[in-house]
Amino acid sequence: MSYLLPALSAVIERRLLINYRLDASVAADMLPEGLRPQLVQGDAVAGVCLIRLGGLRASWMPAALGWGAENAAHRIAVEWDDESGVQRGVYIPVRHSASRLPVLVGGRLFPGVHRHARFTGSETAHRIRVELEASDLRVSADVAVVSEWRSGLFPTIDDASAFFRAGSTGWSPRRGSAGLDGLTLETEQWSVEPGRLLHVESSFFDALPEGAAVLDSVLVMRDVPIVWRQPVSPDFAANRRERRVELGAA
């Protein structure tokens, strides 16, 4: 994969991947041209990523000069076609941050348009609470960190871990123009723990038709060093048209 900007380094201090089973037709209607839902047992997979970053900086800078903030992304697992075949990642229709920096430069100097939000919460080794309040969105999550895995989508936590690690590139709408901006997360220390959903609300998913989005599971990540790179965006629409031609020829 080709990349545009120099790499950014950071540490995931805490990340909650709160996952929903989403009706496939509802998911398809939410995606831009060229992307399709990635299905598991006939359902789309969507969710909320609540992530606290530390030490975010250009990779050549010392960690002491990095900054950190709470961030959130609502996501849908997707597939698309390029010259190498089928690729997997996530589509992120909306991003939020507690920091004014990504709100100001997101979609300009940094990929991804961000909206400002206020985050509150508390955290212990065994319990994580996060609340997000924004002008357009509200999220409330209360998660217990446990040893037992429960999910209707993924039989084991290893299955869930592999699924989300493979979907490491996120695409979001580009500021002021057609097309998508991307970010690819890389790490050699990928590690997840199972969580139990004690209470979760998202006005984004709650606004969908009744029964379209059903809570499934949550993964917890803590103290994971990462690198972010900006991939060159494929021409999704052109790839989709080419795919249709191939299918018609067959």
Side-chain angles (χ1 to χ4, degrees):
M1 183 177 288
S2 300
Y3 297 101
L4 295 173
L5 297 179
L8 298 172
S9 295
V11 174
I12 294 176
E13 297 179 347
R14 183 265 300 135
R15 187 188 195 196
L16 298 179
L17 287 173
I18 300 169
N19 309 311
Y20 288 75
R21 288 185 286 115
L22 183 60
D23 180 89
S25 62
V26 172
D29 288 342
M30 299 167 69
L31 299 178
E33 180 76 9
L35 298 178
R36 59 183 179 271
Q38 183 181 357
L39 303 183
V40 175
Q41 301 181 42
D43 289 314
V45 181
V48 188
C49 171
L50 298 171
I51 185 171
R52 186 176 69 243
L53 294 172
L56 181 63
R57 66 203 186 279
S59 292
W60 52 267
M61 295 172 59
L65 297 181
W67 62 271
E70 290 276 2
N71 301 274
H74 282 71
R75 307 144 34 105
I76 302 169
V78 296
E79 297 179 336
W80 67 94
D81 302 310
D82 67 12
E83 64 278 1
S84 300
V86 177
Q87 306 298 323
R88 294 182 173 89
V90 294
Y91 174 65
I92 303 171
V94 59
R95 297 179 183 267
H96 289 81
S97 180
S99 171
R100 293 288 184 181
L101 182 60
V103 174
L104 291 172
V105 305
R108 297 185 176 98
L109 303 179
F110 183 82
V113 177
H114 290 68
R115 303 173 188 175
H116 187 256
R118 178 175 176 267
F119 290 78
T120 57
S122 61
E123 182 175 344
T124 68
H126 305 291
R127 189 87 170 262
I128 301 170
R129 298 181 179 91
V130 182
E131 292 196 3
L132 177 163
E133 290 281 354
S135 60
D136 61 330
L137 191 74
R138 182 179 184 276
V139 176
S140 175
D142 188 356
V143 172
V145 183
V146 297
S147 58
E148 181 184 1
W149 173 248
R150 297 179 183 177
S151 169
L153 285 169
F154 306 104
T156 70
I157 190 170
D158 289 340
D159 294 322
S161 177
F163 179 91
F164 290 104
R165 187 171 191 177
S168 60
T169 295
W171 300 103
S172 55
R174 184 171 295 158
R175 183 185 294 273
S177 65
L180 301 174
D181 282 332
L183 274 177
T184 297
L185 184 152
E186 300 175 353
T187 182
E188 296 181 357
Q189 299 183 41
W190 178 272
S191 177
V192 300
E193 303 173 84
R196 184 169 68 246
L197 299 167
L198 303 177
H199 171 78
V200 175
E201 294 180 26
S202 163
S203 60
F204 180 90
F205 288 110
D206 293 344
L208 297 178
E210 185 176 356
V214 179
L215 279 166
D216 179 78
S217 57
V218 60
L219 292 170
V220 181
M221 300 179 69
R222 291 190 278 202
D223 301 321
V224 177
I226 62 169
V227 172
W228 258 323
R229 303 182 192 274
Q230 184 185 12
V232 175
S233 177
D235 186 344
F236 293 104
N239 290 334
R240 187 166 182 173
R241 287 193 297 270
E242 290 171 4
R243 179 69 171 167
R244 285 172 177 167
V245 170
E246 291 174 3
L247 291 174

